[in-house]
């Protein structure tokens, strides 16, 4: 059934929710500290004050989930959908509000991670969670705050930093297919200097994800994965309100994968090294907060295929970013954010194939941005303007958001915004299929929402309507990238997090209609309906958790390995139940267990590749006394 939503029906829904929510949620509420986020405006604010639909995943949430990697954690959230060609470490994509990975901006400690090769994707599959402190998700067009790529929204990952006192921990987890995960971290505070060190190692023999009945040309061998990650954070306080800092993250990964354009005996593998180093100066003078950051990031990967169509191909995507962000409190209710950003993007490739010509390209980008964020009685307002120069292209974007507090607990929100996405260097200059005449993708979005916030409860419904023109795609008639498509997606997102006594709940529902307006087809691999429900219960020394996620059917397609014709298929809906348990054995030792895919569902997020079967993991964490 096609999903549709009229403005009149939206108004009726919001009024109904406004009347119903207080009576159903207010019954019980826990006294908790309010959550704070920074991504929605670039400055700290209460999560409930964010006008854009924003989600916070805390370190406590990460530990409760026992998830290993970032993509597994994200798929539980409203508006987010994951696709993956197999198990942990295989190629992954995250669709936010139906937008492709190319249109979702991923930040690591404020630094863009989107690659400049001919994929334009992000290596999210190699981000392990042992070194992640929290994740913030802002949905919708926020190019006026962050520039190119933020059409579907922004996912910002914050790495772990030192606490206020010394701490340390060591964890070990084992599971099927010879899976092991060992991690250790230590935080030391010495006077005005704090240091956080962390390292993790994940290794698995993997499983054969390929469905040989669907893809007979792929090798049905096990696809193993190996990941070693480190994180270093150093902060030094020069004086009150003045800090210097250094951040370093590095992940080295090796994974096997399957390519069905060949023979069943062919072997494929990928090695990847992701590094990022940043130095910053954070300073405060009265109401003025200033932060200067200089960073360098690199994503280096090598694909090896020993088949008849195989080769060894290398891709190195680099970015050097200098940013200056300032926030000034004009008064108690109004703040101004303004800044400058300069970036150098590079791509360098190599190949042993006679069909692939290596290329080496770079470009400079510049941006100036400003925003106002304020509240006057029941009315809250956010305005942002930004101008980006990317190579020879210049684009201006804007965001206007308004909130109105009907009561102390219930708030109406509305926003309108524009966004753009510059083509990656690989889309422009890859020999044979690059197109230097490509234009940036342009987008606009309108939203209206209703929020209920009381104590430990936050419930939010958002209706959105996003349209993209000049969308970048691969043209099968010219065999090159082109600005061919025009897409739209409108829908409703609902998210809830809250607690009753010792029980914590998280839930989400997404109803959307992502459509390619040129063909009338539903966007590939996007579900029109997504839902997730999670619960976590404290029972003395025991902590029990469960998460159930459901996805509707999705359209997909693959290329016939003989004729290379596009073959349309339909992926079935699925439900997946994950269970967790933890037991506080002593004041320093915690035992953990996780049962992934507890009902042993057989399902695919990409045609031809089956996801992980039921798998039981057991672990132990030792946290020495301080």
């Amino acid at each position: 059934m096609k999903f549709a939503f009229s403005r009149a029906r939206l108004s009726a829904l919001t009024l109904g929710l406004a009347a119903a929510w207080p009576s159903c949620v207010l019954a019980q509420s826990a006294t908790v500290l309010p959550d704070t986020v920074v991504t929605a405006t670039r400055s700290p604010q209460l999560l409930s004050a964010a006008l854009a639909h924003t989600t916070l995943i805390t370190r406590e949430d990460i530990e409760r989930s026992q998830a290993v990697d970032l993509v597994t954690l994200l798929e539980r959230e409203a508006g987010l959908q994951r696709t993956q060609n197999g198990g942990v470490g295989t190629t992954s994509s995250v669709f936010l509000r139906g937008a492709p990975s190319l249109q979702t901006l991923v930040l690591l400690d404020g630094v863009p991670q989107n690659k400049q090769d001919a994929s334009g994707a992000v290596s999210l599959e190699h981000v392990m969670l042992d070194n992640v402190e929290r994740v913030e998700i802002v949905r919708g067009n926020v190019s006026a705050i962050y520039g190119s790529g933020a059409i579907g929204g922004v996912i910002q990952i914050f790495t772990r930093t030192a606490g206020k006192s010394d701490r340390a921990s060591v964890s070990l987890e084992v599971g099927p297919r010879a899976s092991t995960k060992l991690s250790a971290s230590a935080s030391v505070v010495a006077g005005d200097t704090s240091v956080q060190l962390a390292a993790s190692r994940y290794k698995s023999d993997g499983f054969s994800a390929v469905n040989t009945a669907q893809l007979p040309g792929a090798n049905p061998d096990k696809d193993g994965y190996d990941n070693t990650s480190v994180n270093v954070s150093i902060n030094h306080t020069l004086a009150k309100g003045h800090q210097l800092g250094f951040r370093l993250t590095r992940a080295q990964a090796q994974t096997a994968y399957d390519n069905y354009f060949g023979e069943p005996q062919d072997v494929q593998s990928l090695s990847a090294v992701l590094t990022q180093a940043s130095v910053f100066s954070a300073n405060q003078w009265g109401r003025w907060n200033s932060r200067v950051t200089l960073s360098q990031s690199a994503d280096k990967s090598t694909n090896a295929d020993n088949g008849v169509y195989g080769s060894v191909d290398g891709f190195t995507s680099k970015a050097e970013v200098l940013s200056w962000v300032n926030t000034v409190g004009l008064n108690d209710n109004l703040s101004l954010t303004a800044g400058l950003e300069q970036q150098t993007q590079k791509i360098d490739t190599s190949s042993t194939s006679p069909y692939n010509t290596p290329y080496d390209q770079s470009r400079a980008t510049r941006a100036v941005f400003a925003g106002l964020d304020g509240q006057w009685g029941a009315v809250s307002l956010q305005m942002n303007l930004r101008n980006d120069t990317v190579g020879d292209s210049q684009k201006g974007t804007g965001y206007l958001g308004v909130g109105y507090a009907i009561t102390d607990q219930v708030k109406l929100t509305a926003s309108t915004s524009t966004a753009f996405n510059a083509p990656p260097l690989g889309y422009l200059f890859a020999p044979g299929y690059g197109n230097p005449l490509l234009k940036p993708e342009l987008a606009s979005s309108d939203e209206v929402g209703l929020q209920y916030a009381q104590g430990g409860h936050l419930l939010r419904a958002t209706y959105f309507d996003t349209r993209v023109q000049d969308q970048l795609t691969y043209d099968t008639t010219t065999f090159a990238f082109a600005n061919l498509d025009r897409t739209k997606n409108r829908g409703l997102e609902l998210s809830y997090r809250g607690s009753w006594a010792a029980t914590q709940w998280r839930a989400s529902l997404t109803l959307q209609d992502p459509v390619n307006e040129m063909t009338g087809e539903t966007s590939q691999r996007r579900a029109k309906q997504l839902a997730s429900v999670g619960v976590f219960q404290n029972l003395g020394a025991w902590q029990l958790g469960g998460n159930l996620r459901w996805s509707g059917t999705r359209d997909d397609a693959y290329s016939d390995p003989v004729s290379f014709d596009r073959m349309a298929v339909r992926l079935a809906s699925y439900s997946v139940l994950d269970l967790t348990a933890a037991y506080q054995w002593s004041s320093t030792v915690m035992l953990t267990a996780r049962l992934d895919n507890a009902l042993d569902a057989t399902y695919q997020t990409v045609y031809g590749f089956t996801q992980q079967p039921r798998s039981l993991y057991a672990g132990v964490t030792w946290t020495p006394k301080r």
Side-chain angles (χ1 to χ4, degrees):
M1 181 177 68
K2 186 174 182 178
F3 172 74
F5 230 101
S6 68
R7 304 282 181 176
R9 291 174 63 187
L10 174 67
S11 299
L13 174 68
T14 54
L15 290 175
L17 289 172
W21 286 5
S23 60
C24 70
V25 178
L26 191 56
Q28 298 184 61
S29 61
T31 302
V32 295
L33 294 175
D35 290 322
T36 302
V37 293
V38 299
T39 308
T41 61
R42 278 192 182 264
S43 59
Q45 63 177 161
L46 296 179
L47 176 61
S48 59
L51 294 179
H53 190 168
T54 303
T55 295
L56 170 65
I57 305 175
T58 65
R59 181 63 202 173
E60 186 178 20
D61 295 327
I62 294 171
E63 292 175 350
R64 287 172 178 171
S65 74
Q66 296 187 31
V68 173
D69 59 339
L70 181 66
V71 290
T72 302
L73 186 72
L74 291 175
E75 66 183 340
R76 306 175 182 188
E77 303 300 331
L80 274 159
Q81 183 182 352
R82 168 188 67 99
T83 65
Q84 196 159 16
N85 294 8
V88 176
T90 55
T91 301
S92 303
S93 294
V94 172
F95 304 139
L96 182 53
R97 284 193 176 173
S101 297
L102 186 65
Q103 295 176 1
T104 299
L105 182 62
V106 177
L107 305 173
L108 178 65
D109 292 329
V111 180
Q113 301 296 299
N114 299 60
K115 294 187 286 189
Q116 290 299 318
D117 61 9
S119 73
V122 182
S123 299
L124 289 176
E125 61 269 18
H126 303 311
V127 179
M128 302 291 107
L129 292 173
D130 298 285
N131 302 328
V132 175
E133 181 64 30
R134 72 183 193 276
V135 180
E136 295 180 10
I137 304 163
V138 179
R139 298 161 181 83
N141 293 356
V142 284
S143 274
I145 306 174
Y146 293 102
S148 174
I151 291 177
V154 171
I155 300 171
Q156 180 155 208
I157 307 154
F158 296 87
T159 57
R160 303 189 71 177
T161 59
K164 296 181 179 180
S165 59
D166 297 348
R167 65 187 182 192
S169 68
V170 179
S171 297
L172 173 65
E173 182 183 82
V174 296
R177 301 174 289 278
S179 298
T180 59
K181 181 171 73 74
L182 177 63
S183 63
S185 67
S187 177
V188 178
V189 179
D192 295 326
T193 303
S194 61
V195 180
Q196 165 77 18
L197 302 172
S200 68
R201 173 74 183 276
Y202 176 88
K203 184 175 177 60
S204 175
D205 288 346
F207 61 96
S208 179
V210 68
N211 183 324
T212 54
Q214 295 174 332
L215 305 176
N219 191 336
D221 63 335
K222 294 181 179 180
D223 297 321
Y225 183 61
D226 191 318
N227 183 297
T228 301
S229 300
V230 296
N231 176 57
V232 179
S233 171
I234 303 174
N235 286 350
H236 178 70
T237 301
L238 299 171
K240 185 177 180 180
H242 300 275
Q243 275 192 340
L244 292 176
F246 170 76
R247 303 278 189 275
L248 172 67
T249 62
R250 187 178 192 273
Q252 183 171 347
Q254 182 80 28
T255 184
Y257 66 95
D258 295 312
N259 181 357
Y260 59 90
F261 288 100
E263 301 295 334
Q265 67 271 18
D266 295 350
V267 176
Q268 297 87 23
S269 65
L270 178 143
S271 62
V273 179
L274 283 64
T275 58
Q276 179 171 302
S278 303
V279 292
F280 69 87
S281 173
N283 303 277
Q284 181 179 5
W285 296 275
R287 292 179 177 268
W288 176 22
N289 288 274
S290 176
R291 186 182 182 96
V292 178
T293 304
L294 175 63
S295 63
Q296 183 179 69
S297 61
D299 187 329
K300 182 178 181 179
S301 62
T302 302
N303 288 279
D305 187 331
N306 69 352
V308 64
Y309 299 114
S311 61
V312 177
D313 302 300
F315 303 85
T316 301
S317 180
K318 294 182 179 180
E320 298 173 354
V321 183
L322 175 63
S323 67
W324 181 29
V325 182
N326 301 272
T327 302
V328 180
L330 302 179
N331 55 46
D332 292 340
N333 300 314
L334 182 63
S335 64
L336 169 68
T337 300
L340 304 170
E341 184 176 279
Q342 181 170 318
Q343 184 175 168
T344 301
Q345 302 169 340
K346 300 178 181 180
I347 179 66
D348 183 15
T349 73
S350 62
S351 179
T352 61
S353 171
Y355 306 105
N356 295 330
T357 303
Y359 62 99
D360 184 354
Q361 294 287 339
S362 65
R363 70 181 172 196
T365 76
R366 304 184 305 276
V368 56
F369 54 88
L372 279 173
D373 180 25
Q375 183 165 347
W376 297 268
V379 177
S380 50
L381 177 69
Q382 180 181 338
M383 295 187 298
N384 296 92
L385 293 173
R386 179 172 171 129
N387 185 272
D388 286 84
T389 301
V390 182
D392 297 328
S393 176
Q394 188 175 68
K395 293 297 175 185
T397 50
Y399 176 94
L400 174 62
V402 180
Y404 178 74
I406 300 173
T407 69
D408 290 341
Q409 295 80 33
V410 180
K411 179 171 66 174
L412 284 170
T413 62
S415 67
T416 184
S417 57
T418 58
F420 83 103
N421 182 41
L425 290 168
Y427 278 48
L428 293 166
F429 301 115
Y433 51 90
N435 180 358
L437 300 179
L438 290 176
K439 299 180 293 185
E441 299 173 313
L442 302 178
S444 62
S445 185
D446 298 309
E447 300 181 24
V448 61
L450 183 63
Q451 174 182 288
Y452 176 84
Q454 170 67 23
H457 304 280
L458 181 61
L459 184 59
R460 186 155 189 170
T462 304
Y463 171 79
F464 62 90
D465 187 334
T466 299
R467 298 169 187 269
V468 182
Q469 64 184 38
D470 294 328
Q471 183 155 321
L472 298 165
T473 189
Y474 182 75
D475 187 351
T476 56
T477 60
T478 62
F479 303 104
F481 288 107
N483 296 102
L484 283 184
D485 290 340
R486 188 173 67 247
T487 62
K488 66 177 181 180
N489 189 17
R490 55 179 179 173
L492 176 69
E493 297 166 338
L494 294 100
S495 65
Y496 167 74
R497 66 178 296 169
S499 59
W500 286 272
T503 306
Q504 288 81 41
W505 292 85
R506 295 177 72 96
S508 68
L509 173 66
T510 303
L511 305 173
Q512 60 181 0
D513 189 22
V515 174
N516 184 326
E517 292 189 286
M518 304 296 291
T519 64
E521 298 177 349
T522 300
S523 297
Q524 190 170 299
R525 298 177 183 169
R526 273 63 150 196
K528 291 189 176 184
Q529 305 92 16
L530 297 164
S532 176
V533 177
V535 60
F536 183 85
Q537 177 71 50
N538 282 302
L539 295 172
W542 286 93
Q543 300 175 2
L544 305 177
N547 190 88
L548 176 66
R549 50 189 169 86
W550 174 82
S551 170
T553 60
R554 289 133 294 133
D555 293 333
D556 201 357
Y558 72 100
S559 296
D560 183 272
V562 178
S563 66
F564 295 97
D565 291 338
R566 181 180 182 271
M567 310 297 291
V569 294
R570 174 66 63 89
L571 302 179
S573 61
Y574 63 85
S575 299
V576 178
L577 176 65
D578 300 322
L579 302 173
T580 62
Y583 178 70
Q584 193 70 51
W585 177 268
S586 69
S587 59
T588 59
V589 177
M590 175 174 282
L591 306 178
T592 60
R594 184 177 84 256
L595 184 60
D596 288 343
N597 194 4
L599 303 180
D600 202 23
T602 301
Y603 68 104
Q604 296 180 333
T605 60
V606 176
Y607 178 78
F609 298 92
T610 303
Q611 293 297 292
Q612 175 184 230
R614 180 168 49 218
S615 303
L616 177 63
Y617 301 85
V620 58
T621 298
W622 175 56
T623 306
K625 292 183 178 179
R626 294 194 289 268

